[in-house]
Structure formats: structure tokens, C-alpha cells
Amino acid sequence: MIGKLIKHDLKSGARRMGNIYLAALIASFAMIVSAFIESGFVRFLSSMVVVVVAFIAGVMTFASVVFGANKTLFGREGYLTQTLPVRTGSLIFSKWLTSSIWLFISYAFVLVAVVAVFFYWTTENQEGAQIYDMIYSVAQSFGLGAESVYQKTLMIQAVIGLFNMCIFVMYVLFAITLSNISPFHKLGTMGIIIYLAAVVFIIQGISYGLESLCDVTLLIEQSGISMTVSETAVRQAEMTGASAIGLTGVYFKTIVTVFLYILTVQLCESKINLK
């Protein structure tokens, strides 16, 4: 049954967001066509349109995930959803998984769009390559490490960003659930935003506190990648052009996410207030 539930949620999301990605694909096709046009302004404009459309698609996907989950779990559809012959934990897991998948699609689309435009302007366009070299030279003068270091850093940060996005989906589901429970439901849709902001603020604040006490740090150097908890080692590595990425916050948020999942299931089972 859980498989059918996930399949249904994916199809429902596809119906809501099909037009969004159709427009994004049309914009991408326009950029490909513009590659054969000599006008630099037209090529620049089309490439910027692709990036803007990709970001808009990401924002609209997030909005669709939030309001779609709220509607199917606690709106009119909630009467049907809550009576399905599946456990509440399976319902929440299905919403988390399918929402994460759709946000992953939007996240990947933004990354692909940005990378495609970057390579387009640095390899297929002489002026773009010159501008990139100039920016990179200026960045190096401010302490930016070797190109191989920051490329690895960007890749790892992208993976961490994806992981944090999946964690954030659980924050959203918890905020939605809380906004549909008495007495928290009095704020309506605005309550979702307020509760979500409060959850993010509290968890992020605790994360910063833990990082200040002891931060497990990933060091990215030309010689390789290593981990350390020594602040001295981090400072020395950064002086030689290495990049440092803190992981304590990621570990903490993972634990909190599991707790929020359990709490969300318990609230849905005992305190739900369907509209």
C-alpha cells in the first residue's frame, strides 16, 4: 500500500507542476537555439532567462509542495487521506519522500541550468572566458584556493545542500501539522510560515552553539580531503588555500529531523484538526 501511496503522490505532484517544468524546458530550448545566433546580447538574454526560470521553478515547486501537502493531509482531501488503510507514519513518510523528490528535481534543474550557462559562457564565448579569468584572478588575490579545491568544495556543498533540503521538508511537514492543531490553527496559513520560521531559527541557533563548542570540520586541500575537530588545524589549512566545511550542524539536524518525524506522526494520530 505504501508503494501505491507514493505513486499517487508523485502523480499528483506531476499534475500540479507539469506546466512549470514545461516552461523551463522551453526556455532551455531557446538558449540552445540562441547559441547559433551571432548577437551576443540575444545569447546573454536567453542564458539569463534559463537561470531565472530555473529559480522560479524552484520557488513554485516549494510553494506547491507546502500547499499541496497541507491540502491533502488536512484540507478537504484530508478526510479521505486520513482514512486510508495505511499507518500515519506511512502517510507522513510518503509526503516527505515525494516532496523531497520534487524539490530534488527543482534543485537539480537549478544546478544544471547554472552549470550549463557557466560552461556556455566560459568555453563557447571568448568574452565570457575572459571575464571568468578576471574574476578568478581577483578572487585568488583575496585568498581563494586552487581551482581544484573550490570545485570540490562546490560539489560537496551541493550534496550538503541537497541533504539539508530533505531535512527542511520535514520542518515544513511539522509546521503544517502544528498549524492544524488546536490552539495553533488560529493563525491559519500564516501560522505555517511563523512556525516554520521558529523551527528553523531554534534549530539553526542550537546548531551554531554546538559548532562553537566542537565542530567536526571537513578540510578540502589540493592533496586530498580530511576531517578534524582542531580549530588550529583548520586555520592553518585555510592559510594555505584549503576550504573548510563544518559538519556538526548537519549531524545535529539529522537527529532533530528523526525526532520531528516521530513527533509529527504522534500529533497527526492524536491532535489532528481537519478543516
Side-chain angles (χ1 to χ4, degrees):
M1 188 64 186
I2 181 64
K4 292 182 179 179
L5 184 61
I6 293 173
K7 182 179 179 180
H8 174 270
D9 285 339
L10 286 174
K11 286 184 176 180
S12 177
R15 287 192 297 268
R16 292 196 307 269
M17 290 172 278
N19 292 333
I20 299 174
Y21 290 98
L22 178 60
L25 290 175
I26 292 174
S28 301
F29 179 74
M31 189 188 78
I32 295 174
V33 172
S34 71
F36 300 96
I37 300 177
E38 294 184 0
S39 173
F41 175 76
V42 173
R43 292 200 300 269
F44 172 78
L45 183 62
S46 63
S47 61
M48 290 301 98
V49 166
V50 170
V51 174
V52 171
V53 169
F55 277 101
I56 292 176
V59 173
M60 293 184 68
T61 299
F62 174 74
S64 179
V65 164
V66 173
F67 292 108
N70 189 41
K71 179 181 178 181
T72 56
L73 282 174
F74 308 113
R76 290 183 178 180
E77 296 179 22
Y79 288 99
L80 175 61
T81 303
Q82 299 291 343
T83 57
L84 291 174
V86 293
R87 293 179 299 177
T88 304
S90 298
L91 287 174
I92 300 301
F93 176 78
S94 176
K95 295 299 178 186
W96 172 80
L97 179 62
T98 54
S99 297
S100 296
I101 289 174
W102 280 112
L103 287 179
F104 169 76
I105 292 173
S106 67
Y107 184 81
F109 187 79
V110 170
L111 285 180
V112 170
V114 171
V115 171
V117 170
F118 171 78
F119 279 105
Y120 174 68
W121 280 100
T122 56
T123 60
E124 299 296 329
N125 184 280
Q126 185 176 359
E127 293 180 359
Q130 291 174 348
I131 293 174
Y132 169 75
D133 291 337
M134 180 182 68
I135 294 175
Y136 178 64
S137 298
V138 172
Q140 278 192 314
S141 67
F142 284 95
L144 180 70
E147 186 172 0
S148 60
V149 172
Y150 80 76
Q151 285 180 348
K152 291 178 183 177
T153 302
L154 289 176
M155 291 176 61
I156 294 174
Q157 289 285 19
V159 173
I160 293 176
L162 175 61
F163 189 71
N164 283 328
M165 182 195 68
C166 294
I167 290 175
F168 187 72
V169 172
M170 195 64 246
Y171 296 173
V172 172
L173 291 175
F174 174 73
I176 291 173
T177 303
L178 197 61
S179 69
N180 285 275
I181 293 175
S182 180
F184 300 102
H185 70 281
K186 295 180 179 179
L187 295 178
T189 303
M190 183 58 65
I192 299 177
I193 300 174
I194 295 174
Y195 303 142
L196 178 60
V199 169
V200 172
F201 178 79
I202 293 172
I203 294 176
Q204 198 63 47
I206 297 175
S207 295
Y208 286 144
L210 292 174
E211 288 171 359
S212 64
L213 292 175
C214 180
D215 192 13
V216 179
T217 306
L218 190 69
L219 292 178
I220 306 170
E221 305 172 90
Q222 284 185 280
S223 58
I225 299 175
S226 59
M227 296 182 69
T228 183
V229 294
S230 171
E231 294 184 5
T232 302
V234 172
R235 287 195 295 268
Q236 290 178 344
E238 289 179 331
M239 291 177 61
T240 61
S243 293
I245 300 176
L247 298 179
T248 297
V250 178
Y251 296 147
F252 171 71
K253 291 173 186 176
T254 302
I255 297 172
V256 171
T257 300
V258 175
F259 171 76
L260 286 181
Y261 168 77
I262 297 172
L263 181 58
T264 300
V265 172
Q266 293 298 319
L267 290 175
C268 285
E269 289 179 342
S270 58
K271 302 291 185 179
I272 193 65
N273 180 34
L274 293 178
K275 296 180 177 61

mmCIF file of all heavy atoms in Angstrom, residues 17-56:
data_model
loop_
_atom_site.group_PDB
_atom_site.id
_atom_site.type_symbol
_atom_site.label_atom_id
_atom_site.label_comp_id
_atom_site.label_asym_id
_atom_site.label_seq_id
_atom_site.Cartn_x
_atom_site.Cartn_y
_atom_site.Cartn_z
ATOM 1 N N MET A 17 2.752 20.462 -11.138
ATOM 2 C CA MET A 17 3.977 21.144 -11.544
ATOM 3 C C MET A 17 4.391 20.900 -12.992
ATOM 4 O O MET A 17 5.452 21.321 -13.422
ATOM 5 C CB MET A 17 5.118 20.739 -10.598
ATOM 6 C CG MET A 17 4.930 21.330 -9.212
ATOM 7 S SD MET A 17 6.082 20.722 -7.976
ATOM 8 C CE MET A 17 5.313 19.175 -7.511
ATOM 9 N N GLY A 18 3.539 20.211 -13.747
ATOM 10 C CA GLY A 18 3.871 19.930 -15.136
ATOM 11 C C GLY A 18 4.114 21.184 -15.954
ATOM 12 O O GLY A 18 5.099 21.274 -16.704
ATOM 13 N N ASN A 19 3.233 22.190 -15.809
ATOM 14 C CA ASN A 19 3.366 23.424 -16.588
ATOM 15 C C ASN A 19 4.627 24.201 -16.218
ATOM 16 O O ASN A 19 5.220 24.881 -17.066
ATOM 17 C CB ASN A 19 2.140 24.313 -16.382
ATOM 18 C CG ASN A 19 0.890 23.718 -17.000
ATOM 19 O OD1 ASN A 19 0.966 22.961 -17.970
ATOM 20 N ND2 ASN A 19 -0.270 24.050 -16.449
ATOM 21 N N ILE A 20 5.022 24.114 -14.956
ATOM 22 C CA ILE A 20 6.219 24.820 -14.504
ATOM 23 C C ILE A 20 7.447 24.335 -15.278
ATOM 24 O O ILE A 20 8.222 25.127 -15.835
ATOM 25 C CB ILE A 20 6.441 24.615 -12.996
ATOM 26 C CG1 ILE A 20 5.258 25.174 -12.200
ATOM 27 C CG2 ILE A 20 7.757 25.263 -12.548
ATOM 28 C CD1 ILE A 20 5.326 24.888 -10.719
ATOM 29 N N TYR A 21 7.604 23.024 -15.339
ATOM 30 C CA TYR A 21 8.797 22.475 -15.985
ATOM 31 C C TYR A 21 8.682 22.472 -17.506
ATOM 32 O O TYR A 21 9.699 22.451 -18.200
ATOM 33 C CB TYR A 21 9.082 21.078 -15.427
ATOM 34 C CG TYR A 21 9.550 21.155 -14.000
ATOM 35 C CD1 TYR A 21 8.665 20.939 -12.945
ATOM 36 C CD2 TYR A 21 10.857 21.515 -13.697
ATOM 37 C CE1 TYR A 21 9.085 21.062 -11.636
ATOM 38 C CE2 TYR A 21 11.283 21.633 -12.392
ATOM 39 C CZ TYR A 21 10.391 21.407 -11.360
ATOM 40 O OH TYR A 21 10.822 21.547 -10.071
ATOM 41 N N LEU A 22 7.470 22.537 -18.012
ATOM 42 C CA LEU A 22 7.299 22.708 -19.456
ATOM 43 C C LEU A 22 7.846 24.073 -19.878
ATOM 44 O O LEU A 22 8.576 24.188 -20.874
ATOM 45 C CB LEU A 22 5.824 22.585 -19.835
ATOM 46 C CG LEU A 22 5.497 22.802 -21.319
ATOM 47 C CD1 LEU A 22 6.229 21.785 -22.184
ATOM 48 C CD2 LEU A 22 3.987 22.735 -21.541
ATOM 49 N N ALA A 23 7.512 25.106 -19.099
ATOM 50 C CA ALA A 23 8.023 26.449 -19.382
ATOM 51 C C ALA A 23 9.547 26.489 -19.244
ATOM 52 O O ALA A 23 10.243 27.137 -20.040
ATOM 53 C CB ALA A 23 7.386 27.464 -18.434
ATOM 54 N N ALA A 24 10.067 25.773 -18.258
ATOM 55 C CA ALA A 24 11.515 25.742 -18.058
ATOM 56 C C ALA A 24 12.217 25.057 -19.223
ATOM 57 O O ALA A 24 13.278 25.504 -19.684
ATOM 58 C CB ALA A 24 11.841 25.015 -16.756
ATOM 59 N N LEU A 25 11.632 23.992 -19.739
ATOM 60 C CA LEU A 25 12.223 23.291 -20.889
ATOM 61 C C LEU A 25 12.186 24.150 -22.140
ATOM 62 O O LEU A 25 13.114 24.138 -22.948
ATOM 63 C CB LEU A 25 11.492 21.966 -21.116
ATOM 64 C CG LEU A 25 11.730 20.879 -20.062
ATOM 65 C CD1 LEU A 25 10.840 19.673 -20.343
ATOM 66 C CD2 LEU A 25 13.197 20.468 -20.054
ATOM 67 N N ILE A 26 11.098 24.916 -22.311
ATOM 68 C CA ILE A 26 11.006 25.817 -23.464
ATOM 69 C C ILE A 26 12.100 26.876 -23.395
ATOM 70 O O ILE A 26 12.747 27.195 -24.404
ATOM 71 C CB ILE A 26 9.608 26.476 -23.510
ATOM 72 C CG1 ILE A 26 8.540 25.426 -23.836
ATOM 73 C CG2 ILE A 26 9.583 27.601 -24.551
ATOM 74 C CD1 ILE A 26 7.124 25.952 -23.765
ATOM 75 N N ALA A 27 12.331 27.422 -22.199
ATOM 76 C CA ALA A 27 13.385 28.420 -22.026
ATOM 77 C C ALA A 27 14.762 27.819 -22.308
ATOM 78 O O ALA A 27 15.623 28.456 -22.924
ATOM 79 C CB ALA A 27 13.346 28.986 -20.609
ATOM 80 N N SER A 28 14.974 26.575 -21.888
ATOM 81 C CA SER A 28 16.251 25.901 -22.147
ATOM 82 C C SER A 28 16.446 25.678 -23.645
ATOM 83 O O SER A 28 17.558 25.854 -24.180
ATOM 84 C CB SER A 28 16.280 24.559 -21.413
ATOM 85 O OG SER A 28 16.128 24.739 -20.027
ATOM 86 N N PHE A 29 15.377 25.295 -24.321
ATOM 87 C CA PHE A 29 15.456 25.099 -25.769
ATOM 88 C C PHE A 29 15.783 26.412 -26.473
ATOM 89 O O PHE A 29 16.548 26.439 -27.442
ATOM 90 C CB PHE A 29 14.131 24.542 -26.290
ATOM 91 C CG PHE A 29 14.102 24.325 -27.769
ATOM 92 C CD1 PHE A 29 14.785 23.259 -28.346
ATOM 93 C CD2 PHE A 29 13.401 25.193 -28.600
ATOM 94 C CE1 PHE A 29 14.773 23.058 -29.711
ATOM 95 C CE2 PHE A 29 13.375 25.004 -29.966
ATOM 96 C CZ PHE A 29 14.066 23.931 -30.534
ATOM 97 N N ALA A 30 15.230 27.523 -25.950
ATOM 98 C CA ALA A 30 15.515 28.835 -26.533
ATOM 99 C C ALA A 30 16.993 29.173 -26.408
ATOM 100 O O ALA A 30 17.587 29.778 -27.317
ATOM 101 C CB ALA A 30 14.665 29.908 -25.852
ATOM 102 N N MET A 31 17.627 28.797 -25.279
ATOM 103 C CA MET A 31 19.048 29.072 -25.117
ATOM 104 C C MET A 31 19.874 28.281 -26.108
ATOM 105 O O MET A 31 20.855 28.770 -26.669
ATOM 106 C CB MET A 31 19.503 28.745 -23.690
ATOM 107 C CG MET A 31 20.922 29.212 -23.405
ATOM 108 S SD MET A 31 21.607 28.654 -21.821
ATOM 109 C CE MET A 31 22.052 26.975 -22.217
ATOM 110 N N ILE A 32 19.478 27.020 -26.350
ATOM 111 C CA ILE A 32 20.199 26.186 -27.320
ATOM 112 C C ILE A 32 20.113 26.796 -28.710
ATOM 113 O O ILE A 32 21.103 26.861 -29.451
ATOM 114 C CB ILE A 32 19.624 24.756 -27.314
ATOM 115 C CG1 ILE A 32 19.871 24.096 -25.957
ATOM 116 C CG2 ILE A 32 20.256 23.927 -28.420
ATOM 117 C CD1 ILE A 32 19.220 22.737 -25.806
ATOM 118 N N VAL A 33 18.913 27.279 -29.067
ATOM 119 C CA VAL A 33 18.733 27.908 -30.376
ATOM 120 C C VAL A 33 19.570 29.177 -30.485
ATOM 121 O O VAL A 33 20.177 29.463 -31.524
ATOM 122 C CB VAL A 33 17.242 28.228 -30.611
ATOM 123 C CG1 VAL A 33 17.065 29.052 -31.881
ATOM 124 C CG2 VAL A 33 16.427 26.944 -30.703
ATOM 125 N N SER A 34 19.632 29.944 -29.388
ATOM 126 C CA SER A 34 20.365 31.212 -29.409
ATOM 127 C C SER A 34 21.864 31.013 -29.585
ATOM 128 O O SER A 34 22.580 31.949 -29.936
ATOM 129 C CB SER A 34 20.099 31.994 -28.123
ATOM 130 O OG SER A 34 20.737 31.374 -27.014
ATOM 131 N N ALA A 35 22.353 29.792 -29.319
ATOM 132 C CA ALA A 35 23.782 29.524 -29.480
ATOM 133 C C ALA A 35 24.221 29.680 -30.931
ATOM 134 O O ALA A 35 25.400 29.908 -31.223
ATOM 135 C CB ALA A 35 24.110 28.116 -29.007
ATOM 136 N N PHE A 36 23.261 29.566 -31.840
ATOM 137 C CA PHE A 36 23.574 29.684 -33.261
ATOM 138 C C PHE A 36 23.345 31.099 -33.782
ATOM 139 O O PHE A 36 23.474 31.356 -34.972
ATOM 140 C CB PHE A 36 22.719 28.695 -34.062
ATOM 141 C CG PHE A 36 22.948 27.264 -33.678
ATOM 142 C CD1 PHE A 36 22.114 26.631 -32.763
ATOM 143 C CD2 PHE A 36 24.020 26.548 -34.197
ATOM 144 C CE1 PHE A 36 22.318 25.311 -32.399
ATOM 145 C CE2 PHE A 36 24.236 25.236 -33.826
ATOM 146 C CZ PHE A 36 23.386 24.609 -32.929
ATOM 147 N N ILE A 37 22.967 32.019 -32.884
ATOM 148 C CA ILE A 37 22.742 33.411 -33.276
ATOM 149 C C ILE A 37 23.981 34.220 -32.935
ATOM 150 O O ILE A 37 24.569 34.072 -31.861
ATOM 151 C CB ILE A 37 21.508 33.983 -32.539
ATOM 152 C CG1 ILE A 37 20.269 33.164 -32.895
ATOM 153 C CG2 ILE A 37 21.294 35.452 -32.913
ATOM 154 C CD1 ILE A 37 19.020 33.601 -32.154
ATOM 155 N N GLU A 38 24.405 35.084 -33.832
ATOM 156 C CA GLU A 38 25.634 35.828 -33.642
ATOM 157 C C GLU A 38 25.516 36.934 -32.590
ATOM 158 O O GLU A 38 26.502 37.345 -32.007
ATOM 159 C CB GLU A 38 26.083 36.447 -34.976
ATOM 160 C CG GLU A 38 26.483 35.405 -36.023
ATOM 161 C CD GLU A 38 27.005 36.052 -37.286
ATOM 162 O OE1 GLU A 38 27.054 37.308 -37.323
ATOM 163 O OE2 GLU A 38 27.369 35.325 -38.226
ATOM 164 N N SER A 39 24.307 37.420 -32.369
ATOM 165 C CA SER A 39 24.113 38.519 -31.425
ATOM 166 C C SER A 39 24.469 38.089 -30.004
ATOM 167 O O SER A 39 23.857 37.177 -29.441
ATOM 168 C CB SER A 39 22.659 38.994 -31.475
ATOM 169 O OG SER A 39 22.430 39.946 -30.455
ATOM 170 N N GLY A 40 25.474 38.740 -29.426
ATOM 171 C CA GLY A 40 25.867 38.408 -28.062
ATOM 172 C C GLY A 40 24.799 38.760 -27.051
ATOM 173 O O GLY A 40 24.621 38.066 -26.052
ATOM 174 N N PHE A 41 24.065 39.848 -27.328
ATOM 175 C CA PHE A 41 23.004 40.261 -26.408
ATOM 176 C C PHE A 41 21.907 39.209 -26.335
ATOM 177 O O PHE A 41 21.403 38.904 -25.246
ATOM 178 C CB PHE A 41 22.420 41.606 -26.852
ATOM 179 C CG PHE A 41 21.243 42.046 -26.021
ATOM 180 C CD1 PHE A 41 21.439 42.559 -24.748
ATOM 181 C CD2 PHE A 41 19.950 41.927 -26.511
ATOM 182 C CE1 PHE A 41 20.362 42.956 -23.969
ATOM 183 C CE2 PHE A 41 18.869 42.318 -25.740
ATOM 184 C CZ PHE A 41 19.080 42.836 -24.472
ATOM 185 N N VAL A 42 21.524 38.643 -27.484
ATOM 186 C CA VAL A 42 20.477 37.626 -27.519
ATOM 187 C C VAL A 42 20.924 36.384 -26.760
ATOM 188 O O VAL A 42 20.154 35.801 -25.981
ATOM 189 C CB VAL A 42 20.106 37.258 -28.967
ATOM 190 C CG1 VAL A 42 19.126 36.078 -28.999
ATOM 191 C CG2 VAL A 42 19.503 38.454 -29.679
ATOM 192 N N ARG A 43 22.190 35.986 -26.931
ATOM 193 C CA ARG A 43 22.703 34.812 -26.227
ATOM 194 C C ARG A 43 22.736 35.058 -24.722
ATOM 195 O O ARG A 43 22.375 34.193 -23.923
ATOM 196 C CB ARG A 43 24.099 34.453 -26.731
ATOM 197 C CG ARG A 43 24.145 33.942 -28.159
ATOM 198 C CD ARG A 43 25.429 33.174 -28.423
ATOM 199 N NE ARG A 43 26.596 34.006 -28.207
ATOM 200 C CZ ARG A 43 27.184 34.729 -29.164
ATOM 201 N NH1 ARG A 43 26.699 34.718 -30.393
ATOM 202 N NH2 ARG A 43 28.251 35.457 -28.898
ATOM 203 N N PHE A 44 23.164 36.262 -24.337
ATOM 204 C CA PHE A 44 23.213 36.603 -22.920
ATOM 205 C C PHE A 44 21.810 36.611 -22.320
ATOM 206 O O PHE A 44 21.579 36.053 -21.238
ATOM 207 C CB PHE A 44 23.867 37.976 -22.733
ATOM 208 C CG PHE A 44 23.797 38.495 -21.327
ATOM 209 C CD1 PHE A 44 24.666 38.025 -20.357
ATOM 210 C CD2 PHE A 44 22.844 39.444 -20.975
ATOM 211 C CE1 PHE A 44 24.598 38.490 -19.053
ATOM 212 C CE2 PHE A 44 22.772 39.917 -19.674
ATOM 213 C CZ PHE A 44 23.652 39.441 -18.717
ATOM 214 N N LEU A 45 20.861 37.227 -23.040
ATOM 215 C CA LEU A 45 19.495 37.329 -22.540
ATOM 216 C C LEU A 45 18.868 35.946 -22.377
ATOM 217 O O LEU A 45 18.240 35.657 -21.351
ATOM 218 C CB LEU A 45 18.645 38.175 -23.497
ATOM 219 C CG LEU A 45 17.190 38.429 -23.067
ATOM 220 C CD1 LEU A 45 17.162 39.199 -21.754
ATOM 221 C CD2 LEU A 45 16.443 39.194 -24.152
ATOM 222 N N SER A 46 19.047 35.075 -23.370
ATOM 223 C CA SER A 46 18.446 33.740 -23.298
ATOM 224 C C SER A 46 19.051 32.920 -22.174
ATOM 225 O O SER A 46 18.353 32.163 -21.489
ATOM 226 C CB SER A 46 18.618 33.006 -24.627
ATOM 227 O OG SER A 46 19.985 32.801 -24.923
ATOM 228 N N SER A 47 20.365 33.057 -21.948
ATOM 229 C CA SER A 47 21.003 32.307 -20.869
ATOM 230 C C SER A 47 20.519 32.787 -19.509
ATOM 231 O O SER A 47 20.297 31.989 -18.592
ATOM 232 C CB SER A 47 22.531 32.427 -20.964
ATOM 233 O OG SER A 47 22.937 33.788 -20.846
ATOM 234 N N MET A 48 20.324 34.105 -19.364
ATOM 235 C CA MET A 48 19.801 34.633 -18.109
ATOM 236 C C MET A 48 18.355 34.191 -17.878
ATOM 237 O O MET A 48 17.949 33.937 -16.748
ATOM 238 C CB MET A 48 19.886 36.161 -18.106
ATOM 239 C CG MET A 48 21.301 36.719 -18.004
ATOM 240 S SD MET A 48 22.189 36.183 -16.506
ATOM 241 C CE MET A 48 23.177 34.820 -17.164
ATOM 242 N N VAL A 49 17.580 34.095 -18.962
ATOM 243 C CA VAL A 49 16.196 33.637 -18.851
ATOM 244 C C VAL A 49 16.154 32.219 -18.307
ATOM 245 O O VAL A 49 15.317 31.878 -17.472
ATOM 246 C CB VAL A 49 15.485 33.717 -20.223
ATOM 247 C CG1 VAL A 49 14.168 32.938 -20.190
ATOM 248 C CG2 VAL A 49 15.217 35.162 -20.595
ATOM 249 N N VAL A 50 17.086 31.369 -18.777
ATOM 250 C CA VAL A 50 17.131 29.982 -18.306
ATOM 251 C C VAL A 50 17.368 29.940 -16.792
ATOM 252 O O VAL A 50 16.686 29.216 -16.057
ATOM 253 C CB VAL A 50 18.237 29.190 -19.037
ATOM 254 C CG1 VAL A 50 18.445 27.835 -18.372
ATOM 255 C CG2 VAL A 50 17.869 29.003 -20.499
ATOM 256 N N VAL A 51 18.324 30.734 -16.316
ATOM 257 C CA VAL A 51 18.639 30.744 -14.885
ATOM 258 C C VAL A 51 17.457 31.268 -14.076
ATOM 259 O O VAL A 51 17.076 30.689 -13.048
ATOM 260 C CB VAL A 51 19.892 31.605 -14.616
ATOM 261 C CG1 VAL A 51 20.139 31.727 -13.114
ATOM 262 C CG2 VAL A 51 21.111 30.998 -15.297
ATOM 263 N N VAL A 52 16.851 32.360 -14.537
ATOM 264 C CA VAL A 52 15.712 32.951 -13.827
ATOM 265 C C VAL A 52 14.539 31.980 -13.784
ATOM 266 O O VAL A 52 13.911 31.783 -12.728
ATOM 267 C CB VAL A 52 15.287 34.276 -14.493
ATOM 268 C CG1 VAL A 52 13.973 34.773 -13.885
ATOM 269 C CG2 VAL A 52 16.365 35.333 -14.323
ATOM 270 N N VAL A 53 14.243 31.344 -14.929
ATOM 271 C CA VAL A 53 13.136 30.387 -14.982
ATOM 272 C C VAL A 53 13.406 29.205 -14.061
ATOM 273 O O VAL A 53 12.499 28.694 -13.398
ATOM 274 C CB VAL A 53 12.902 29.900 -16.429
ATOM 275 C CG1 VAL A 53 11.936 28.713 -16.456
ATOM 276 C CG2 VAL A 53 12.347 31.027 -17.280
ATOM 277 N N ALA A 54 14.665 28.766 -13.996
ATOM 278 C CA ALA A 54 15.019 27.648 -13.123
ATOM 279 C C ALA A 54 14.765 28.002 -11.665
ATOM 280 O O ALA A 54 14.204 27.197 -10.900
ATOM 281 C CB ALA A 54 16.487 27.271 -13.330
ATOM 282 N N PHE A 55 15.147 29.222 -11.251
ATOM 283 C CA PHE A 55 14.907 29.647 -9.876
ATOM 284 C C PHE A 55 13.413 29.811 -9.596
ATOM 285 O O PHE A 55 12.931 29.441 -8.515
ATOM 286 C CB PHE A 55 15.644 30.954 -9.585
ATOM 287 C CG PHE A 55 17.081 30.762 -9.212
ATOM 288 C CD1 PHE A 55 18.097 30.963 -10.131
ATOM 289 C CD2 PHE A 55 17.431 30.369 -7.922
ATOM 290 C CE1 PHE A 55 19.430 30.776 -9.788
ATOM 291 C CE2 PHE A 55 18.766 30.180 -7.564
ATOM 292 C CZ PHE A 55 19.763 30.386 -8.503
ATOM 293 N N ILE A 56 12.689 30.353 -10.558
ATOM 294 C CA ILE A 56 11.235 30.498 -10.390
ATOM 295 C C ILE A 56 10.585 29.124 -10.251
ATOM 296 O O ILE A 56 9.687 28.921 -9.422
ATOM 297 C CB ILE A 56 10.629 31.263 -11.582
ATOM 298 C CG1 ILE A 56 11.090 32.720 -11.563
ATOM 299 C CG2 ILE A 56 9.098 31.201 -11.540
ATOM 300 C CD1 ILE A 56 10.633 33.528 -12.756
#
